[in-house]
Amino acid sequence: MREARPGAFIETSAATPPAERLARVLERFPALAVAVSGGVDSLTLASFAFAHGVPLTVIHAVSPAVPAEATMRVRHLAVAQGWELIVTGTGEFEDKRYRDNPVDRCYFCKTNLYDRVAGLTDRPIASGANLDDLGDYRPGLIAATERRVVHPLIEAGLAKSDVRALARALGLGEVAELPAQPCLASRVETGIAIHAADLAFVERAERRLAVLTGGGTLRCRITRQGVVVELGPEAMGHAGAVDTLMAGLCGEAARVYAGTRAYRRGAMFVGA
């Protein structure tokens, strides 16, 4: 299997503050195009680079796999900070390799994304991948490596906790506390074809579930057994109410509801 090598760490003392390490990485770039998803990592990277005077183009891709609230968040920050923002489609749903949902689906998603971004800017493309991402199965990093995408947070040795601390220092408010939120296609079990209608159902269900449980970690999964809701420890006390809500939503949508279970990261990667 192809191996992703996202980049080297800068040479600095472990005692060097994360913000200083990231600033040193960004000094290498006369300008950047940051691909932002609407999550804490890429938004923090874009905000930090902009605040440090790096000429910046921010590019956000919309698709059925991107929650509408993520796009709204990007647009809000772009106006608030004065970014040059480009919103584009990615075209991944035109790629049968992506829609077939193999275990390396993310490779084809990121291939489409970065090829589209490269056609919109001559600036080096940067992602918001952080150090913790290297511990996961991330085929999208392979596509990034093949296209010379840079990962400033990784190069600076920043983990997720460092990124959140940086977001707080930048005054990004609720962005700093956003839960990890992979794309909606990650809710679909490997081998089940990706359909926009499934992702719309997942987005609607998770929005309702978040209100019901008060937030925290939860996932609405599309599996071979039916719709499953995974709950983090903080939401387990709401399992009964979740069952009632989801039974209703699945009944309205003519879907099978298969109950709740404990949240497990990467649960949809069957055979990974």
Side-chain angles (χ1 to χ4, degrees), residues 53-73:
V54 178
L56 194 67
T57 301
V58 175
I59 301 178
H60 175 68
V62 294
S63 88
V66 177
E69 64 180 16
T71 299
M72 292 175 58
R73 192 178 301 125

Side-chain angles (χ1 to χ4, degrees), residues 73-241:
R73 192 178 301 125
V74 171
R75 290 187 182 278
H76 172 77
L77 269 181
V79 171
Q81 297 191 24
W83 295 342
E84 174 192 344
L85 174 66
I86 298 174
V87 177
T88 183
T90 58
E92 78 269 32
F93 273 75
E94 300 167 14
D95 188 339
K96 185 177 184 300
R97 300 170 300 176
Y98 168 87
R99 296 196 312 273
D100 285 347
N101 195 20
V103 71
D104 58 348
R105 180 198 68 248
C106 290
Y107 173 82
F108 302 110
C109 175
K110 295 301 186 184
T111 293
N112 282 280
L113 169 64
Y114 293 133
D115 285 349
R116 180 66 60 91
V117 171
L120 297 171
T121 181
D122 293 328
R123 293 176 170 178
I125 301 169
S127 88
N130 69 70
L131 200 59
D132 292 349
D133 294 328
L134 300 183
D136 288 339
Y137 176 59
R138 297 270 179 165
L141 288 175
I142 300 168
T145 298
E146 292 173 350
R147 286 155 182 79
R148 300 184 183 279
V149 173
V150 297
H151 310 285
L153 300 177
I154 291 177
E155 291 188 38
L158 270 62
K160 190 79 166 188
S161 59
D162 298 316
V163 177
R164 292 193 187 281
L166 202 57
R168 295 181 192 110
L170 288 166
L172 296 185
E174 65 178 13
V175 169
E177 314 308 327
L178 288 172
Q181 194 67 273
C183 80
L184 294 173
S186 69
R187 315 299 202 271
V188 183
E189 190 173 270
T190 298
I192 298 176
I194 302 293
H195 294 288
D198 287 341
L199 304 190
F201 174 83
V202 166
E203 182 177 10
R204 183 169 65 254
E206 289 191 356
R207 190 164 55 241
R208 295 279 299 276
L209 288 166
V211 173
L212 176 67
T213 64
T217 301
L218 58 88
R219 298 286 187 271
C220 176
R221 308 287 202 187
I222 305 294
T223 77
R224 286 170 175 78
Q225 290 71 45
V227 176
V228 174
V229 174
E230 292 186 351
L231 301 172
E234 70 281 8
M236 273 299 184
H238 298 278

Side-chain angles (χ1 to χ4, degrees), residues 28-52:
R28 295 199 290 112
F29 302 103
L32 274 179
V34 179
V36 298
S37 63
V40 59
D41 301 311
S42 57
L43 289 178
T44 300
L45 174 61
S47 298
F48 186 92
F50 187 77
H52 283 71

